[in-house]
Amino acid sequence: MKRIVGLLVIALLVFWVFIDPDSAADTVQDIGSLLREGAESIITFFTELV
């Protein structure tokens, strides 16, 4: 069951990239920015503890 769900998710992502590549790229950039900002916040937190 997990394998089928995983394949469906991958198929939907590939379909999304083919149908609307600009939106897909924007979403990936937004996720990357969110992860970067989160990492920077954690680094700042631990730096301020010292």
Side-chain angles (χ1 to χ4, degrees):
M1 186 66 175
K2 279 186 176 182
R3 187 174 189 172
I4 293 171
V5 171
L7 290 174
L8 284 173
V9 168
I10 291 170
L12 286 172
L13 288 174
V14 170
F15 178 73
W16 183 31
V17 169
F18 280 120
I19 296 303
D20 193 4
D22 292 332
S23 174
D26 288 341
T27 301
V28 171
Q29 287 178 341
D30 291 343
I31 290 170
S33 294
L34 180 68
L35 292 174
R36 184 185 69 242
E37 290 172 10
E40 289 173 353
S41 296
I42 290 170
I43 291 169
T44 301
F45 171 76
F46 283 110
T47 301
E48 293 295 322
L49 287 177
V50 176

